[in-house]
Amino acid sequence: MSDVSSSAELSHRLDPAAAQRVRQRLLAAQPAPWLHEEIGRRMVERLAVIRQTPASVLLWPGDDGPLAPELRAACPAATFQRVVEHRPPAGDGRPWWSRWRGEAPPRELAPEAALAGQTALLWSVMRLHGEADPRALLAAWRRALAPDGFVMYATLGPGSLPQLRTLYARQGWGPALALPVDMHDLGDMMVEAGFADPVMDQEQLHLTYSSPEALLEELRGLGANTAPGRFSGLRTPRWRAELLAGLHRLADAQGRLHLTLEVVYGHAFRAPDKGPAVSADTRIALDDMKSMLRRRPPGGA
């Protein structure tokens, strides 16, 4: 279990304003990051564990993945909707769902409009690690699901970017990223949010780059540092030169740089609504108790 478990700790895990800026930048960047598309494909392969074919799919978020054709092929009869959390400025290019050749694009919904309990499958690619309040987002997902619906998602895990985190710690540069929530804690949060028997697993992706510049460009395309303790000012050219030199020292004998990403996958069914609470104790008014005692026969048990 990780130490990031209480609501107070979770609220300080990342900077919400910085996380929103990252979401808006990723939305404006077309096409979607390649990693989101690749993870979406891997999630489609996991759909085989679900015997029920969903009649409706809600993409949350619906602005940066997954790659639509694979999911469409896995759910050929489903209706698709997508949650739009942030809208990019006009003229930022065609949205990712424009690649649905020959198909109508998914209907757009605001987050609050999605909570109608009508969705058979809620699908989320690489969204949860950027949420300042993951418990609230999981609860919203549960409210969006029909009684027999289920959720499938992928998110980054806390084992991500150990090479960069070590370099930052050695140089005294503060945290390199907002540490994602551990998968065991996510499983506990899902149960708290009203999901039944969540199944969690993870895998590590090992990425290779030809130069420090290519590595940094890739990281910028995938997100940004949203840790509250990150350096808040503008970095100088001297600092960037030190960063590039530090990354060069991490290269292998062939001059290649390696980064590790931990990807956490989760799925669960929506648990039934709980009935009204039943008190474990029985309460009888004092006057009623006196009346009962007066009516007891002598020597009665």
Side-chain angles (χ1 to χ4, degrees), residues 7-279:
S7 296
E9 289 172 325
L10 285 172
S11 65
H12 294 90
R13 185 178 56 87
L14 56 76
D15 181 342
Q20 182 172 345
R21 289 194 296 270
V22 171
R23 294 282 311 134
Q24 291 173 328
R25 178 165 58 80
L26 289 177
L27 174 57
Q30 300 296 336
W34 72 267
L35 180 64
H36 294 197
E37 297 187 354
E38 174 60 28
I39 297 305
R41 280 190 287 265
R42 297 183 183 215
M43 286 174 60
V44 170
E45 296 173 359
R46 284 170 159 77
L47 266 177
V49 303
I50 306 298
R51 297 180 181 179
Q52 176 184 347
T53 301
S56 58
V57 179
L58 179 63
L59 310 174
W60 193 324
D63 49 36
D64 61 355
L67 187 64
E70 282 83 359
L71 184 57
R72 181 58 151 173
C75 308
T79 59
F80 285 78
Q81 299 184 103
R82 67 189 192 103
V83 171
V84 179
E85 297 176 299
H86 306 289
R87 292 191 176 277
D92 278 324
R94 300 174 68 199
W96 69 268
W97 46 258
S98 65
R99 289 173 287 170
W100 289 54
R101 295 182 177 89
E103 300 285 348
R107 177 189 174 197
E108 296 183 4
L109 296 175
E112 58 273 13
L115 308 180
Q118 302 295 319
T119 298
L121 167 61
L122 193 146
W123 186 265
S124 181
V125 181
M126 306 299 278
R127 171 67 179 85
L128 196 55
H129 60 259
E131 176 57 46
D133 190 349
R135 283 191 175 94
L137 184 57
L138 288 170
W141 289 355
R142 198 264 185 187
R143 292 196 299 273
L145 288 172
D148 58 347
F150 60 99
V151 62
M152 294 193 74
Y153 68 87
T155 183
L156 289 181
S160 297
L161 305 183
Q163 301 88 349
L164 200 63
R165 288 157 51 194
T166 299
L167 174 60
Y168 270 56
R170 185 185 302 128
Q171 297 295 115
W173 290 339
L177 77 160
L179 201 63
V181 180
D182 179 84
M183 75 172 183
H184 300 98
D185 287 332
L186 285 176
D188 291 342
M189 291 178 196
M190 294 187 76
V191 173
E192 294 173 8
F195 289 97
D197 301 323
V199 176
M200 311 293 299
D201 68 293
Q202 62 87 25
E203 66 175 337
Q204 290 191 337
L205 302 183
H206 301 282
L207 311 180
T208 303
Y209 302 93
S210 59
S211 68
E213 291 83 359
L215 182 151
L216 294 177
E217 183 66 20
E218 177 91 297
L219 286 180
R220 176 165 176 78
L222 295 176
N225 187 357
T226 59
R230 70 192 186 283
F231 182 75
S232 58
L234 294 176
R235 294 291 196 179
T236 64
R238 178 179 178 180
W239 177 85
R240 179 176 172 82
E242 292 178 358
L243 173 60
L244 293 174
L247 290 172
H248 269 297
R249 290 192 291 271
L250 298 179
D252 62 16
Q254 288 73 41
R256 296 172 303 190
L257 290 162
H258 303 272
L259 279 184
T260 302
L261 292 177
E262 179 187 7
V263 181
V264 173
Y265 301 92
H267 71 264
F269 283 86
R270 179 187 185 274
D273 294 326
K274 296 181 179 179
V278 178
S279 177

Side-chain angles (χ1 to χ4, degrees), residues 269-288:
F269 283 86
R270 179 187 185 274
D273 294 326
K274 296 181 179 179
V278 178
S279 177
D281 61 335
T282 301
R283 303 191 180 192
I284 302 175
L286 180 59
D287 289 343
D288 293 339

